[in-house]
Structure formats: C-alpha cells, structure tokens
Amino acid sequence: MTPGRDPGSGEQRDGVALTNLDQPLSPDAGATKRDLVDYLDAVADLMLPGLAGRPLTVLRVLRGQEPFMQKNAPKYTPDWVRTVAIWAESSRREIHYPVCDDRRTLMWLANQRAVEYHPTLGLADNIYRPTHLVLDLDPPSGADFAAVAAVAQLVRRALSDCGLAGAVKTSGAKGIHVFVPIDDAAPVDDVAGATRALAARAAALDPDIATTAFIVEDRGGKVFIDSTRAGGATVVAAYSPRLRPGTPVSFPLDWSDLDRVAPGDFTVHTAIGALAGRDPWAASMPKPQRLPGDLIEQGRTIPVARVAAMHEGKRRARARRAKEG
C-alpha cells in the first residue's frame, strides 16, 4: 500500500468515486484493482469504439466470491449509465444490459471490479445483425501458441482466397480471434453460414493441424476453429483484460507478428508499453466487406455445429446404452 493513502476512499476518475484500489483482484492475478483502473483509463480511447452501442456482459470478481458473468445491470447502477432492455428467450425475461459508451461508464464498471468486457457482435438496436464475422481459434490442451498461430494463418489464406481480409488479436487466454468486418447485406443466418464455410475452408487447407469438430473428443489434438460466434453472441473486446494468472489482455497483432509473441506478453502491466501510442486494432481493421455468395451458399450446406453435436451426442448415448444392454 502506498504510504498515507486510504485504500477505501478519496480518489475519483471522471467523477466516479473509486474505492479499495489497493486490493488484489484475485490470488493469482498479479494485479490490484488500482492496476485494473489505471490500465482501463489508459486504453479507454482505444477500447471504447469496440464497446460503444453494444449490450455488454462483464466478468466481475468480488472479494470472497467466485467470479461471475453479469448481464443485468444491478439495481444500484447510476442513472447516467446507459442500459438497453432485451428479451431473453432462454430465461423468458427482459435483461437490462449496460452499454459502455464513454470513459465515465468504463471507470464505474472498473470500480465494480468488472475485469472482462464481452460486447455483442451486433449493436443494441439489433444484436442479431453482426457487424463482424468472427472465428475463434482454440488450441488443444497442452499446445503452445505456435500451434494456434499456424491455424490463424490458414484462416487468413481462406479469407484471401475469397477476397476477404480480417484483423487478428489474442483472446487474452490461449487462443486467437479473427475479426472480419462485414456490411449489412447478409441476414444473420447467411453470416452464420459464411462463418461455417470459412472455418471449413481453413481447416481443409491443413487438416493435420486444424479441425471444425465441435465435440472435444473428436478434435484429435488439433486446433479447433470455432464458427459459432454469430446471432447475438459476444466476444471479448480488443484491449479487454482477462481474469487469468498475471491478468493478460486481448491484444491486437499484425499478422506477421503471430509467430513472435505469446499471449502472456501482454498484460495490464505491459500492454501500454507494447502499444507505444498506437491503436493497432483500428489500424489493422479493414473496411466493411460484402460476403461472397458462394461462401454463403457453401455455409448453408454445413450443419450448425451445436445442433449437430447435440444430435451426435444423443446418437452416441443410445449406442452406449445398446452396447451395455
């Protein structure tokens, strides 16, 4: 603790009173709440464009409690924090999502110990109209970052082959996210289909290292190209911290840097220095693009991964029961 500083009072950012800044975020975070606030304050101008206008889910970590994902703005949310009401069919209720449009809201969320920021891919007026096509690359257990970086290059080739371009960032955990900005010509089902087709094309470029198998036991130690981030889905924002040992952040990269870095290189302590005054996410993001018709058509022939996995799981369960019987 800094001498003479009361950890429970006094400081403000953008009119937001901050409390208990010198408490650790978690036992293995390697960061305090002050580190979180300082980092988010420093990257606010870079991070806010990816949050503004989008319903937001945050991961909060309160003292003495397990971390939890929060969609509904709590009742004590200040009236100056924008919220948007969206019907949740799964829970049959209206959820009032916060929308982080400005630095003041970001500082308030940081003071609530919101560590991770997961906006929807669609804007608040229609969360089911994604502004980006996203592929999430998930390495198998025990794999190093080089494996997922190699598959990211396959995705880049698949994009290039159909006249598209994307931007790439670490997930802040062990994976990589590829974002492809798209125009509003294609309805959400076509965007979802194009995402499946891109995943299939990338995996086909080197099936020894990449797979689209949704069921973990079917992946055979390969990097999983997840094509399910569409239709109201959320993805962690660029520059968002992650609640992992060392508090890494989701960091934008140049494609040429993928084989020279590791996710742990970018944390709330090191990311500002690595940015060196740049905004690589904005600089690397192409303009919105129209999805090719043949990509959409191919996607329509590929089953939705979760649905296919559910049916396959039921089929395997029946087969096991029949064998045991």
Side-chain angles (χ1 to χ4, degrees):
M1 184 187 304
T2 303
R5 176 178 283 149
D6 180 353
S9 67
E11 297 187 44
Q12 291 193 358
R13 307 274 178 101
D14 285 85
V16 176
L18 304 173
T19 58
N20 301 310
L21 290 174
D22 294 313
Q23 292 174 351
L25 292 176
S26 71
D28 60 358
T32 63
K33 184 177 170 182
R34 180 182 301 281
D35 294 324
L36 174 69
V37 170
D38 285 348
Y39 168 77
L40 290 172
D41 200 8
V43 299
D45 290 342
L46 311 184
M47 189 171 167
L48 283 170
L51 301 178
R54 300 175 188 270
L56 180 65
T57 300
V58 295
L59 178 71
R60 295 178 63 193
V61 53
L62 305 183
R63 287 179 297 162
Q65 297 183 28
E66 290 296 313
F68 62 97
M69 298 294 287
Q70 185 169 65
K71 298 179 179 181
N72 245 331
K75 292 181 179 179
Y76 55 81
T77 300
D79 57 11
W80 47 261
V81 172
R82 180 185 170 200
T83 61
V84 59
I86 296 177
W87 179 256
E89 192 62 38
S90 58
S91 57
R92 305 293 299 171
R93 65 187 178 121
E94 203 169 54
I95 294 178
H96 294 263
Y97 288 86
V99 181
C100 187
D101 289 332
D102 52 37
R103 184 187 300 263
R104 188 184 187 193
T105 301
L106 185 61
M107 289 296 94
W108 181 80
L109 289 165
N111 193 55
Q112 299 299 306
R113 296 174 68 107
V115 178
E116 299 188 8
Y117 295 77
H118 299 252
T120 55
L121 288 176
L123 297 169
D125 59 353
N126 184 2
I127 62 170
Y128 299 102
R129 165 80 276 279
T131 57
H132 296 75
L133 180 157
V134 174
L135 290 174
D136 180 5
L137 311 185
D138 185 18
S141 178
D144 59 21
F145 190 67
V148 72
V151 174
Q153 296 294 354
L154 299 181
V155 172
R156 188 186 189 193
R157 282 174 52 193
L159 286 170
S160 179
D161 288 347
C162 58
L164 297 173
V168 64
K169 67 183 180 70
T170 68
S171 68
K174 297 180 180 179
I176 286 174
H177 294 152
V178 179
F179 271 60
V180 183
I182 55 176
D183 66 16
D184 59 359
V188 64
D189 287 348
D190 286 352
V191 176
T195 309
R196 296 193 296 273
L198 271 172
R201 292 185 184 191
L205 290 173
D206 193 343
D208 289 337
I209 64 172
T211 181
T212 59
F214 192 80
I215 299 174
V216 175
E217 64 192 51
D218 292 346
R219 295 177 190 170
K222 304 171 187 178
V223 173
F224 172 48
I225 307 177
D226 185 354
S227 61
T228 64
R229 302 299 184 97
T234 66
V235 179
V236 71
Y239 305 111
S240 172
R242 303 300 303 269
L243 189 63
R244 302 285 193 279
T247 317
V249 305
S250 181
F251 197 85
L253 296 169
D254 292 326
W255 287 97
S256 60
D257 288 336
L258 281 174
D259 60 354
R260 295 197 292 267
V261 300
D265 294 343
F266 311 105
T267 72
V268 293
H269 301 294
T270 64
I272 302 302
L275 287 169
R278 302 173 301 118
D279 183 356
W281 196 231
S284 63
M285 189 66 68
K287 293 186 182 301
Q289 302 151 91
R290 181 151 299 190
L291 293 172
D294 66 316
L295 194 68
I296 293 171
E297 288 300 321
Q298 180 184 351
R300 288 172 178 161
T301 69
I302 301 173
V304 176
R306 284 194 173 92
V307 175
M310 179 185 67
H311 290 308
E312 177 62 13
K314 290 179 178 179
R315 186 196 68 76
R316 293 182 188 185
R318 288 195 299 269
R320 282 195 300 268
R321 287 194 297 270
K323 185 177 181 179
E324 291 168 357

